[in-house]
Amino acid sequence: MRPERRTVILVAVLTALILGLGLLGLCYGASWKSPGEVFAALNGSEPSIVIQDWRLPRVLAALVFGAALGVSGALFQNLTRNPMGSPDVIGLDAGAYTGALVALTVLSGTSAQLAVGSVLGGLAVAALIYVLAYDRGFSGLRLVVIGVAVNAMVTALNSWIVLRAELEVAIAAVGWSAGSLNGVGWGDLGIPFTVIGVLLALMAARAHAMHQAALGDAIAVTTGVGLDRLRLLMVLVGVGCTATVTAVAGPIAFIALAAPQIGRRLAGAAGVPLLPAALTGAVLLQGADLIAQMLLAPVALPVGVVSTAIGGCYLIWLLTKEVARA
């Protein structure tokens, strides 16, 4: 099977999975709704607050945020040329969380402040890692190793901020840090969806150049790719996607790590393609959120708990593969 045909089939299968999981998410809850009731609510013939205002925003948030995390992971794995090079491993999630913590503890913690704080925190950590990793050229492995170290230091800083905060703020910050889609409503999604849509469209326009760069710096330069501008764009889009998700749902771990590699292997691609990564991320986050709702029903767990458990198993497998290859 040729990779192009295989990718088309994969996209079709993943799209079907997304639609199926979305329908299940709209049906499942404290009270089961039949698919007929769901379709009637969606087309407006039988309006339902439960489906339209409670479940639909959550389902769409899982879809869009999962796709954003998948693309963010694919960008940094292409940038570092390392399957470990994802935002949650190299510290960008932790940096975005630091910015959000500052907004919660120092400022009033409004949605706008959380969004701006998350983006600035993520960009600050990305800039620090890039500066420390740059040594007469760009090294993906060096960036990953330094990113892991910076991640540990920023995580320690976050713990210190939480311990120094007032009790109510600390409880809210710790709960939010687990990563959750519980209680997400339409009012929380307008601006994040717009930002993510713009970032994904911007990166889609440069996807060909990104894949040229993945073949090697020499090939990219001979084909007219401006590597410095492209890398800057990849960092900005990756941080923007991660920080936007973090500002709304908290840091959701391991989706950005696992989705690009799973999508790449399923597509049989040489690099880390964006579309399979985005669709795989959407499937993973939708599936993890459904599991989080079902495990201890009627209590809904934070989706970050489930994604971390699944991602931990994937990380062990990935490290085993990398060690065996070395």
Side-chain angles (χ1 to χ4, degrees):
M1 186 181 294
R2 292 181 301 131
E4 295 81 3
R5 184 184 173 193
R6 183 170 174 173
T7 301
V8 170
I9 294 174
L10 174 64
V11 168
V13 171
L14 291 176
T15 302
L17 275 175
I18 289 171
L19 293 176
L21 290 171
L23 178 59
L24 181 57
L26 293 174
C27 292
Y28 182 81
S31 61
W32 176 266
K33 302 292 184 182
S34 68
E37 292 176 295
V38 169
F39 289 124
L42 293 179
N43 63 32
S45 59
E46 294 182 18
S48 169
I49 293 177
V50 171
I51 294 174
Q52 294 172 314
D53 295 338
W54 296 355
R55 297 182 186 174
L56 184 57
R58 182 174 189 147
V59 168
L60 292 178
L63 191 162
V64 175
F65 291 168
L69 292 174
V71 168
S72 180
L75 290 175
F76 281 100
Q77 288 176 13
N78 274 304
L79 187 67
T80 61
R81 297 175 192 169
N82 191 308
M84 293 290 294
S86 73
D88 41 0
V89 173
I90 64 176
L92 301 186
D93 276 13
Y97 182 41
T98 303
L101 281 177
V102 171
L104 283 171
T105 55
V106 178
L107 306 175
S108 55
T110 64
S111 298
Q113 290 170 351
L114 284 173
V116 173
S118 296
V119 173
L120 292 179
L123 286 174
V125 170
L128 175 62
I129 294 171
Y130 192 90
V131 169
L132 293 175
Y134 192 87
D135 182 22
R136 296 186 300 275
F138 182 81
S139 169
L141 178 60
R142 182 180 174 87
L143 188 147
V144 170
V145 173
I146 289 177
V148 171
V150 171
N151 185 26
M153 291 187 288
V154 175
T155 300
L157 173 62
N158 292 342
S159 298
W160 180 81
I161 293 174
V162 171
L163 290 172
R164 297 284 296 179
E166 295 181 2
L167 180 60
E168 295 81 3
V169 176
I171 292 174
V174 170
W176 182 74
S177 69
S180 177
L181 298 177
N182 297 339
V184 170
W186 290 117
D188 304 312
L189 301 180
I191 295 177
F193 279 11
T194 302
V195 172
I196 289 172
V198 170
L199 291 175
L200 295 186
L202 187 62
M203 201 61 239
R206 298 287 292 160
H208 179 70
M210 185 194 74
H211 292 305
Q212 289 291 102
L215 298 175
D217 291 358
I219 295 177
V221 171
T222 57
T223 56
V225 176
L227 287 176
D228 291 338
R229 291 194 302 272
L230 178 63
R231 285 169 178 163
L232 177 61
L233 176 64
M234 291 168 68
V235 169
L236 292 176
V237 172
V239 171
C241 287
T242 298
T244 302
V245 174
T246 302
V248 179
I252 301 175
F254 287 110
I255 300 295
L257 173 69
Q261 290 301 310
I262 294 174
R264 181 184 71 82
R265 284 175 167 81
L266 291 175
V272 186
L274 296 183
L275 184 56
L279 296 177
T280 304
V283 169
L284 289 178
L285 189 53
Q286 283 184 302
D289 189 46
L290 281 170
I291 293 173
Q293 294 179 64
M294 294 176 181
L295 273 180
L296 299 179
V299 177
L301 291 173
V303 67
V305 173
V306 177
S307 69
T308 300
I310 296 173
C313 297
Y314 170 80
L315 183 58
I316 292 173
W317 174 83
L318 181 62
L319 288 172
T320 302
K321 292 275 289 184
E322 290 298 307
V323 170
R325 185 180 302 170

